[in-house]
Amino acid sequence: MKNLFYFFLFFTAVSASSDFEAYFDSLNKKESKFNFSSLQNPFFNPNFNEIQNLKIQAIFLNKVKINNTWYKEEDKINEAKIKKIKSDRIILEYDGFDIVAKLRTNDKIYID
C-alpha cells in the first residue's frame, strides 16, 4: 500500500511539473500588448486626498465656509457628507468613516 502511495505521489509530481513547464514556456513566448505603465495606483483615492486638504474658513450658525462656499449639515463636499457642524470643527462621513476637520484658531478668518 505504501509503495502504491509513493508511486501515485511520484506520478502526479512528474506530470504536474511537465504541465507547469509547458505553461511557463507559453507565458514566455507571448508578447504582452498591454501597457502596464498606464495603470493607476488602485489604493489612490483622489476624493479622500481632497477631503484631507479641506480648509475651513469660517463656522457661523451651523454653517461652514470651505473654499469660499458655504455649506450646512447633510451637504456633500467631494463625495463626503457633512454629518455634524460644531463651533470649532466639522465631522464628515466618507466611505463609512468619520473624518474630523478642525477650524484652525491661528488662521485669519475672512468673510466675503
Side-chain angles (χ1 to χ4, degrees):
M1 187 72 174
K2 234 182 191 182
N3 290 336
L4 183 62
F5 174 73
Y6 288 133
F7 175 74
F8 178 72
L9 185 62
F10 175 75
F11 180 73
T12 55
V14 169
S15 65
S17 68
S18 64
D19 289 342
F20 282 124
E21 287 176 16
Y23 175 72
F24 287 119
D25 285 341
S26 70
L27 285 178
N28 288 334
K29 290 178 185 175
K30 290 182 182 177
E31 292 182 20
S32 177
K33 294 180 182 178
F34 187 77
N35 184 5
F36 288 101
S37 63
S38 66
L39 290 177
Q40 293 182 351
N41 183 348
F43 302 106
F44 177 71
N45 187 337
N47 286 334
F48 184 71
N49 288 341
E50 289 178 18
I51 292 167
Q52 285 181 319
N53 295 323
L54 289 177
K55 186 174 180 183
I56 300 175
Q57 296 169 311
I59 297 176
F60 184 71
L61 296 177
N62 291 330
K63 293 191 180 193
V64 60
K65 186 176 184 182
I66 301 172
N67 300 335
N68 295 323
T69 305
W70 285 96
Y71 297 95
K72 62 185 184 316
E73 289 183 5
E74 304 296 321
D75 284 349
K76 287 195 170 191
I77 306 169
N78 297 334
E79 302 299 320
K81 182 173 76 169
I82 298 175
K83 192 173 181 180
K84 185 75 176 164
I85 299 175
K86 297 187 177 185
S87 62
D88 63 339
R89 71 189 69 170
I90 62 170
I91 301 171
L92 300 162
E93 183 180 350
Y94 179 73
D95 201 21
F97 295 100
D98 287 347
I99 301 169
V100 177
K102 293 183 180 180
L103 176 67
R104 297 184 186 147
T105 56
N106 60 352
D107 285 352
K108 295 179 181 176
I109 299 173
Y110 298 104
I111 300 176
D112 294 332

